[in-house]
Amino acid sequence: MGARPVHGVPSTVTRRTILFGTAAATLLASAGCVPYSRDAINTVGDITFNNPLRIPALAASTVDGDGVRTFDLTAHAGTTEFLTGKQTPTWGFNRSYLGETLRARRGEKVRFNVRNELDETTTVHWHGMHLPAEMDGTPHQPVRPGGQWHPHWTIHQQAATLWYHPHPHGETEDHVNNGLAGMFIIDDDESDRLDLPGRYGVDDVPVIVQDRSFDDEGEFTTSYRGINGFLGDNLLVNGTYAPYLDVQTDLVRLRILNGSSARIYNFKFDDGRRFDLIGTDGGLLDRPRQMKNIVLSPAERAEIIVRMKPGSRTTLRSAPQELGAGFLTTGAGGNDRMDVLQLRARPALEPGGPLPARLAAVEPLRPDASATKREFVLDGIEINGKQMDMGRIDTVVPASNLEVWTVRNVAGQPHNFHIHDVQFQVLEVDGHAPPPELTGSKDTIFLPGKSAARIAVPFGTYTNPRVPYMYHCHLLWHEDRGMMGQFTVVDPDQVESAPRTLNMKEMHSHE
Ligand SMILES: [Cu+2]
């Protein structure tokens, strides 16, 4: 698909390199980071919002006689015009940048013809999906250049906003930053019955937020790396620079995905208005929650409902936030102030009803005292003192086990924690009941410096002692450098005998 011309220029941001004091420099050096910082970024007032928000097309699919819904998904390189008159080399799935939106229903069998037309090996991971490990698209399911992969599974989870992206070990940040990421929307009967805005691209709108930097030729540059990895000085929404959304209804549903590699957003509206949070990573909440802001770390999602008055405008913005002591906040972009997306209401709007008082019937997970407990300590770029080893199984989980995991970030800097295959529920954050945004299904949890969460993790029935899933920090630079571990799900009577190491030569010999 050809890139549409866009108008507008990126804000110029002055960069200043400052060397930190010895303690900070040592700490950062130990994490393999370059100890430098720059002035806070402030794009507020610089963005002219003169580009209509691009809406990724819904991917075509076919349903065969057995009810299998099949999608073609091709990763390829192209160019995209983000800035007027400049062609940026990009990657995408079925398009030049990002991916088409996949959509399927609970109970449906899905199948993908994944083709890799890139010059390097990639993978496609279905983030947030409950599925067999061999379909998960981890580094253990590489798709070579020119190669194909045909994963398939049955969707067994509630309506949700999931996403898909590559997961090649050590290269994920690069592949995602080049543009390989897309939304995967699941529908179900329960969500269909609710009176919620649901016209894709009209009043039910994907909002994939990514930070990027451009050089003078308009090419992406990732030269600035803070303690969390690459931080860009411009924002793109669905690959649109300086975007506005033409709002036609008085209720608009935004499916916000933090598709950035390291940036943690504190989303709010410029006029301080309240919005209703209706869903998180794994689907709809039990009821709408009124909020004035929501923090999303990389890979987290939020579905929100915004109420608009005819002819009005409001701007979604990312506001400053405390992300650690002094230089840790600066180095993680916590002082940055960035405009994201302007909502522009038409002079006359189609009226929407009141929001349903109840949303999804989310069964609370209540592990009893005998539940298996595990602890995961995040520090530096290690989990439990280890870095990723593709030949090592760190954790073996019995199938159908409801476990209690404590995830502890003992570092001063922020991390987050993503678990493949499951949607978990948060029991406690630092000893307290979870805030509204953590009351639903989650697959990724933000862990600010010196914080801990206790989560209830329901493992399913897909077993394979030789193909692991992953848990990891979803700040992609941390992940790429090894902040990741592997777990298998096995029959309960095979926990002791299941392998703790993998013969990588054997596993990947057929490729
Ligand atoms: Cu991290």
Side-chain angles (χ1 to χ4, degrees):
M1 146 191 152
R4 281 184 289 165
V6 296
H7 309 282
V9 289
S11 64
T12 47
V13 177
T14 47
R15 290 184 188 177
R16 191 173 64 199
T17 302
I18 309 165
L19 282 175
F20 287 124
T22 313
T26 306
L27 182 140
L28 293 175
S30 72
C33 302
V34 186
Y36 71 106
S37 182
R38 63 175 169 189
D39 292 345
I41 294 166
N42 184 354
T43 70
V44 170
D46 288 349
I47 308 289
T48 47
F49 303 110
N50 46 9
N51 300 311
L53 179 69
R54 295 172 177 179
I55 305 293
L58 289 170
S61 59
T62 56
V63 180
D64 68 16
D66 298 325
V68 179
R69 183 176 294 280
T70 301
F71 296 87
D72 291 330
L73 206 54
T74 301
H76 60 83
T79 60
T80 305
E81 190 170 344
F82 301 108
L83 308 175
T84 307
K86 301 206 170 174
Q87 291 295 326
T88 305
T90 51
W91 291 1
F93 290 109
N94 297 357
R95 57 207 298 271
S96 72
Y97 184 74
L98 294 177
E100 290 184 329
T101 296
L102 306 172
R103 196 152 194 174
R105 292 187 71 80
R106 184 176 197 165
E108 216 167 29
K109 293 176 188 148
V110 291
R111 181 183 154 89
F112 296 86
N113 299 318
V114 175
R115 293 185 180 82
N116 179 7
E117 293 181 356
L118 301 167
D119 293 334
E120 45 190 289
T121 296
T122 192
T123 82
V124 184
H125 167 58
W126 319 97
H127 184 118
M129 195 72 75
H130 174 50
L131 77 185
E134 55 276 22
M135 308 298 170
D136 196 31
T138 71
H140 296 288
Q141 291 91 40
V143 190
R144 309 285 180 209
Q148 296 194 21
W149 182 49
H150 304 280
H152 55 88
W153 66 91
T154 301
I155 293 177
H156 288 301
Q157 63 198 94
Q158 70 176 119
T161 303
L162 310 183
W163 66 302
Y164 62 101
H165 64 78
H167 212 300
H169 188 42
E171 306 291 336
T172 295
E173 185 194 53
D174 193 42
H175 287 206
V176 174
N177 280 350
N178 283 341
L180 293 180
M183 215 167 245
F184 196 148
I185 296 174
I186 298 177
D187 300 300
D188 66 9
D189 295 345
E190 185 183 40
S191 66
D192 283 357
R193 278 196 295 269
L194 294 169
D195 189 15
L196 291 170
R199 279 176 290 166
Y200 180 79
V202 179
D203 61 1
D204 181 356
V205 180
V207 175
I208 303 173
V209 184
Q210 299 175 305
D211 55 339
R212 293 288 181 272
S213 293
F214 297 91
D215 68 13
D216 292 342
E217 277 70 53
E219 294 194 15
F220 286 150
T221 156
T222 55
S223 53
Y224 176 73
R225 287 177 181 281
I227 50 173
N228 288 345
F230 165 69
L231 288 178
D233 46 22
N234 297 278
L235 295 188
L236 301 175
V237 181
N238 304 342
T240 324
Y241 175 73
Y244 73 87
L245 176 68
D246 172 32
V247 174
Q248 307 171 35
T249 54
D250 67 1
L251 293 184
V252 59
R253 175 188 195 165
L254 304 180
R255 298 180 187 252
I256 306 174
L257 158 65
N258 180 350
S260 305
S261 54
R263 186 174 287 285
I264 297 152
Y265 298 90
N266 178 19
F267 290 111
K268 60 199 302 185
F269 287 93
D270 62 343
D271 50 11
R273 70 174 57 208
R274 290 176 198 277
F275 55 85
D276 283 280
L277 178 72
I278 60 165
T280 54
D281 300 348
L284 296 174
L285 300 177
D286 59 346
R287 60 187 168 88
R289 310 285 176 129
Q290 283 226 325
M291 317 269 293
K292 284 182 110 166
N293 73 304
I294 185 164
V295 171
L296 293 183
S297 68
E300 287 186 291
R301 285 88 71 204
E303 290 188 37
I304 68 170
I305 303 280
V306 190
R307 212 168 273 275
M308 297 293 289
K309 291 208 166 68
S312 68
R313 292 184 177 188
T314 187
T315 299
L316 184 66
R317 176 172 290 171
S318 184
Q321 59 188 316
E322 176 80 36
L323 290 174
F327 73 94
L328 290 172
T329 286
T330 315
N335 292 332
D336 296 349
R337 191 183 300 270
M338 303 178 88
D339 275 349
V340 180
L341 171 68
Q342 187 177 68
L343 305 186
R344 282 187 201 172
R346 291 185 180 180
L349 297 176
E350 290 174 41
L355 284 183
R358 310 297 305 176
L359 297 169
V362 183
E363 193 71 27
L365 300 174
R366 295 274 176 266
D368 59 31
S370 66
T372 310
K373 293 172 188 65
R374 303 182 202 270
E375 185 166 80
F376 298 85
V377 175
L378 314 185
D379 196 12
I381 49 163
E382 295 178 337
I383 300 177
N384 290 344
K386 289 179 185 154
Q387 286 181 259
M388 171 73 164
D389 179 342
M390 282 187 48
R392 185 187 69 229
I393 306 291
D394 298 276
T395 306
V396 177
V397 173
S400 305
N401 213 27
L402 174 59
E403 305 201 343
V404 177
W405 287 19
T406 300
V407 188
R408 206 178 290 287
N409 177 9
V410 301
Q413 71 184 92
H415 290 294
N416 70 11
F417 194 74
H418 168 51
I419 311 176
H420 288 208
D421 182 45
V422 296
Q423 290 292 338
F424 55 80
Q425 289 178 12
V426 180
L427 301 171
E428 263 180 26
V429 177
D430 292 329
H432 300 289
E437 66 272 25
L438 298 180
T439 55
S441 299
K442 294 286 293 174
D443 53 56
T444 306
I445 184 168
F446 178 44
L447 291 159
K450 309 281 182 200
S451 71
R454 258 187 354 116
I455 59 179
V457 193
F459 289 94
T461 53
Y462 297 122
T463 57
N464 191 330
R466 297 186 174 279
V467 181
Y469 299 100
M470 270 111 230
Y471 50 78
H472 57 89
C473 178
H474 217 289
L475 278 58
L476 299 180
W477 197 42
H478 293 172
E479 173 188 339
D480 278 341
R481 284 153 67 247
M483 198 163 191
M484 178 153 58
Q486 305 195 106
F487 70 96
T488 50
V489 177
V490 306
D491 287 338
D493 60 3
Q494 288 180 6
V495 170
E496 294 309 316
S497 61
R500 262 62 179 178
T501 56
L502 297 171
N503 183 332
M504 297 303 297
K505 272 200 189 116
E506 203 174 275
M507 267 189 89
H508 293 203
S509 62
H510 60 284
E511 288 146 16

